[in-house]
Every structure is written in structure tokens, then in C-alpha cells.
């Protein structure tokens, strides 16, 4: 697997996280690697990728800033469960929670 190559750079992994044409297994490997997921763009790309299972995306939703969560809440291309969760987060934040 490409992700196990010691020469792979974080920016390449960020691009893999964004790419919807890559196998779900790759997204799962990325999302389960705490070192990679420390990067904000990695979290954002995993959540914004429509091919990542909603359960995985929702795990990282709480780490995104409100502006990005609002984009997810307004998105039509993402799984409905993720969009609903994002709307709840936005609603809670707007109420001061």
C-alpha cells in the first residue's frame, strides 16, 4: 500500500483524503492514523469527502471550525446523516452551546 511508503509526504496523504475516487479502505487507514489526523486539512478533507462512510466523517466533525461545519450543513453532495449532524452542531453553536 502506498500509505506505508516511508517517503510519502503528508501533503500527498491530504490529497488522498480529499479524493473520492480512492478506495474506502484507504480513507479508513487515513482516518485511523492519529498522527495524520492531527492536521486540520486532513480532518476537513475526510469529512468533506462524500465517499467516506458517515460514521467516520461524523467522528471528525466536532473538530472542525464552525465556518466549515456550516459548509457541510449546506452541502448537497454529502451523506444526509452527516449533513444532519452538521446542522445540529451549527444550531447548538448558534444558541451559545
Amino acid at each position: 500500500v502506498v500509505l506505508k511508503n516511508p517517503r510519502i509526504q503528508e501533503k500527498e496523504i491530504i490529497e488522498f483524503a480529499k479524493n473520492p475516487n480512492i478506495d474506502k479502505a484507504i480513507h479508513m487507514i487515513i482516518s485511523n492514523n492519529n498522527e495524520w489526523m492531527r492536521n486540520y486539512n486532513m480532518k476537513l478533507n475526510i469529512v468533506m469527502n462524500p465517499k467516506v462512510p458517515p460514521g467516520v466523517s461524523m467522528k471528525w466533525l466536532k473538530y472542525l471550525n464552525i465556518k466549515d461545519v456550516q459548509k457541510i450543513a449546506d452541502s448537497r453532495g454529502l451523506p444526509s446523516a452527516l449533513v444532519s449532524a452538521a446542522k445540529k452542531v451549527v444550531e447548538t453553536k448558534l444558541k451559545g452551546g
Side-chain angles (χ1 to χ4, degrees), residues 15-56:
E15 289 302 312
F16 288 148
K18 188 185 338 185
N19 189 337
N21 297 320
I22 288 180
D23 189 80
K24 277 190 230 179
I26 301 292
H27 294 125
M28 296 300 288
I29 292 168
I30 293 169
S31 68
N32 288 325
N33 185 310
N34 290 333
E35 185 177 330
W36 293 336
M37 293 306 290
R38 286 188 190 124
N39 181 300
Y40 184 84
N41 287 327
M42 193 79 73
K43 290 180 189 107
L44 182 61
N45 286 347
I46 284 289
V47 175
M48 293 290 288
N49 190 323
K51 296 292 176 122
V52 173
V56 174

Side-chain angles (χ1 to χ4, degrees), residues 2-28:
V2 173
L3 295 177
K4 292 184 180 180
N5 183 335
R7 288 192 223 141
I8 194 165
Q9 296 181 0
E10 191 171 48
K11 65 182 180 179
E12 293 173 293
I13 299 168
I14 290 170
E15 289 302 312
F16 288 148
K18 188 185 338 185
N19 189 337
N21 297 320
I22 288 180
D23 189 80
K24 277 190 230 179
I26 301 292
H27 294 125
M28 296 300 288

Side-chain angles (χ1 to χ4, degrees), residues 61 64-74 82-97:
L61 185 64
L64 301 181
N65 67 45
I66 192 66
K67 187 175 86 175
D68 289 328
V69 175
Q70 183 70 56
K71 285 181 195 171
I72 294 162
D74 295 338
L82 177 62
V83 171
S84 295
K87 286 178 181 176
K88 287 179 185 174
V89 169
V90 169
E91 194 175 297
T92 302
K93 297 258 182 178
L94 293 178
K95 288 182 180 175

